[in-house]
Structure formats: C-alpha cells, structure tokens
Amino acid sequence: MGTCMARKGFLTLSDCGNPAVTSCSTCARPMCTMHLAPQSGFTQCLDCAARDPNVKPQADDDYDGVWAHRYRNDYYSSSSYRPYYYGSSYSDTYYDDQDVRSFDDDVNGQAAVEDDTETGGFQAS
Amino acid sequence: MSVLKVYRSLDAEQKRILAEKQVDLNRPIAELLTLLKPIAACDRVADKARTRLGCTFGAGIVLTIILTFFVAGNFGGLAAIAVLLIGLTIIIGSGWLWFWTKKIDLSNNMRDFVLPVLSVIREDVDSNEPVHVKLDLRSPTSDAKRTSKSDPYKSGAYYKVIDSMYVDPWMEFEGALTDGTKLSWRITDTIRERQKTKRNPRGKIKTKTKYAKKSDIEVAVGLRNKTYAIGSDAGDVKSGDKRNTVQMYHRHRSASLDPIPTEALIGLITAVYSKTRPAGKEA
C-alpha cells in the first residue's frame, strides 16, 4: 500500500510518511488512519473532505482534522503566506493550489530538535 | 445530551479544570487536545442549557402563581397545594441548575480561540515534546481581574456612568515545532467596562453596559540558525549561538468581549516565517 501521501502541518509542510491503510475514495491517494475523515467512514482523506463543503465537523466546536485542513486551505488562499515544504513530493499535482517554498536538499532531513539550552522564548538574549 | 450527563462523563482532572478554571500543564499537544475538548463540549452544552433554564425559571414562577390560584378556585385547596409543590420543585430545580451551570461556565476564549489555534498548529508541534500551556478561563470581567472602578460621574444624557478596568492574562504557550523552532506566545486582555444609566423620556431608568477591549499578543519565534536565516526586515531579533529569536507584537482592539480571531495570532507567527529563507541561501 505504501506510505501516506498527505501533507501535514500548517506553518511548515512535510510528508506524513506513516504506513497507508487504504486509498482515498475521491483522489485514490494512499492514506494512513490519521489523515482519513471519520465523517466519511474513514474512506475519504482529510484534504478531499475539507474541499467538500457538504462535509461538516463531527460536532459543534469540534476542531477536527477536516476543520484544520479546511482552515489551512482557506488561510493559504486568502493570505500571501507561502509555507516551507520539507517533503519530497513536489510533483504531486494534488497540491498544485498550495504555493509552497522549498528547502535545498542539504537542509532537508536534518534532526528537528537538537539538544540546546537556548529556549528561544521571551527570556532569550 | 443533558448537561449533567455530559458533566458526569468528564474525568476528575477535567472536572477540576471546570471548577478552578485554571490550566497549567506540560503535555504533548495531542494529549492536551484530548483533555480540553470534552471540557469545551461541556461548556457549550451548559451555555445552551442555561438559556433554557432561565426561561423555565421565569415561566415557572408565572405559571405556578396563575395555576395555583386557578386550581384553588376550581378544584379546592389540596389540588392547589399539589400544583404549588410541583411548581416550586420546577422553579427550585431549574434555579439550582442555572446557578450550577453558571458556576462551571468557562470563558469563551477556550472554545473560540484556544482549541482552534492548538488544532491548527497540532501537526507543526513536535509530538514527542510536551508543550506548556497556561490558561486562565475565568470570566474576563470577574472580580478577581478588576483593577479599578471609578466613582460615578455624569456624561451627556447619562446621569451615572461607572468605568471598571480589568486585566486578563489568559493564555501562555511554549512549545517546540517539528522544524526545530521554539514557539511561544502570551495574550493579555485589558478591558474597560462602562455602565451608563439614564432616565428615558417615559421616565424609566435604563442601564447599558459597553466594553472596550485591547488584546496584547506577544509572540517569540526562536528559529534554528542551521535551518533559517532571517531577513533584515524581521524587526526585533535577538541573536544567539544556536537560534535567532524574533519577537512580534500586535494589539487587537474590539468593542466586545468576544474572543479575538485566531488570525490575530496566526498572522503574527506566519509573518515571522515569511521573513525567513533557508540558511546559507542568498537573500
């Protein structure tokens, strides 16, 4: 089945990479359980469900995966924000509407968190 | 689903948060969302129930009085007493429930800001690292947050105006992102409540309450030097050996107590990322 083809994140984007369990009934891309919409009976990916205006959150004020993906799509299209994409699927046409910025290959794949004592918060000097 | 049933489904920690209205936790973000979502759902059900209970309480008083007299006149004293007892039970029950839902009421900042923001950045946050979230979910205009109250004064047609000021530091967040960035923010509201009383042309005394709110949003984004270089237009940047920290600030003004829009914070954070480029790349 391969790996999940969803792009995760909001501030920056990366490939999910989890083992896929099924293919989306709309776009046929392999998806893991985390990126399938419960509203569809776990047959449709969150991206496709988010693009379908008939798919609602599971309950009022339920900021579920569909809501988060829909927020992401709306934010990217209404603002000038272009997130960095750390993945490898630049040729995936599903995300043609996402205007992303890429990193060079030598930066991709670096350990996300290293041991460092600088907190980077309001007390940083 | 009834509010009591929803409340009973909460665990001890969630009930404690509802009672104390304070959150100060270090947890992975997924765990935090799992903890907070049922609390928000209970708050939503309680808010809706309180409206119905208020109507039931008021209608109960009126109907009990009317029915008691009607039944007493037509069916005798015993029947009237029975109606009165039933009516009093409904009135006391709905009144008690109203006060109880008021006691567990949380600030709408939880449902309308905290949860959506955490849900948006959920996949950006390193799932292996705990995030620190501190929330004050008491009402923004609770007595504990009042910092001053003016003496009554006159203003135009209003013969009595009282200004009260409140300071509400209701959210702090600190966490590590999957790209190595350290993200933190804090939000403090300053609220002016103005109660104005006047006598209308028909002689009735009318009081209205208006609010002016300033939300100060401070964001610190600590970007790893190995990953990101920061543009010269990034603003307030504190350079370090391993990371550069960009501090951004925004003041959001509003004429209501409604929670600030999520974009007020998200926009600040994305503004920082927009000023970055991969480390080692020419500007």
Side-chain angles (χ1 to χ4, degrees), chain B residues 6-143:
Chain B
V6 174
Y7 179 79
R8 281 194 208 109
S9 69
L10 301 177
D11 63 28
E13 185 180 21
Q14 289 165 330
K15 286 177 181 170
R16 181 192 57 76
I17 290 173
L18 262 187
E20 295 175 5
K21 306 185 202 312
Q22 305 282 343
V23 173
D24 192 350
L25 295 169
N26 285 286
R27 300 266 173 97
I29 194 166
E31 267 187 46
L32 260 181
L33 284 167
T34 303
L35 175 74
L36 296 178
K37 278 188 178 182
I39 299 172
C42 182
D43 182 53
R44 173 172 51 80
V45 171
D47 280 357
K48 284 186 181 172
R50 197 161 51 250
T51 305
R52 289 196 303 269
L53 287 167
C55 295
T56 304
F57 183 77
I61 292 174
V62 172
L63 283 174
T64 298
I65 293 170
I66 294 172
L67 279 175
T68 301
F69 280 108
F70 177 78
V71 168
N74 290 282
F75 300 100
L78 277 177
I81 289 170
V83 166
L84 182 64
L85 285 173
I86 292 168
L88 281 174
T89 304
I90 293 171
I91 292 165
I92 292 169
S94 58
W96 180 86
L97 265 177
W98 188 93
F99 279 106
W100 178 75
T101 55
K102 188 75 182 159
K103 195 176 161 191
I104 64 168
D105 184 36
L106 293 178
S107 162
N108 287 346
N109 286 330
M110 163 77 132
R111 291 195 333 242
D112 294 340
F113 186 90
V114 174
L115 283 187
V117 163
L118 293 182
S119 300
V120 166
I121 66 167
R122 177 186 182 152
E123 287 184 331
D124 290 294
V125 174
D126 190 336
S127 56
N128 298 319
E129 296 281 324
V131 299
H132 175 232
V133 169
K134 192 172 174 186
L135 302 172
D136 184 341
L137 299 172
R138 295 173 295 174
S139 166
T141 54
S142 64
D143 289 344

Side-chain angles (χ1 to χ4, degrees), chain B residues 140-153 161-168 190-195:
Chain B
T141 54
S142 64
D143 289 344
K145 297 182 182 179
R146 185 187 295 131
T147 56
S148 69
K149 187 172 180 177
S150 73
D151 292 328
Y153 62 93
V161 180
I162 299 173
D163 290 338
S164 301
M165 298 298 295
Y166 301 85
V167 174
D168 183 15
T190 305
I191 298 162
R192 186 196 67 206
E193 176 191 81
R194 180 163 282 173
Q195 276 189 327

Side-chain angles (χ1 to χ4, degrees), chain B residues 151-194:
Chain B
D151 292 328
Y153 62 93
K154 286 184 187 178
S155 174
Y158 297 95
Y159 66 84
K160 185 168 101 173
V161 180
I162 299 173
D163 290 338
S164 301
M165 298 298 295
Y166 301 85
V167 174
D168 183 15
W170 57 274
M171 184 173 193
E172 287 179 28
F173 173 93
E174 216 170 312
L177 306 185
T178 54
D179 63 353
T181 299
K182 301 276 190 183
L183 174 64
S184 55
W185 71 74
R186 58 183 171 216
I187 305 175
T188 304
D189 288 352
T190 305
I191 298 162
R192 186 196 67 206
E193 176 191 81
R194 180 163 282 173

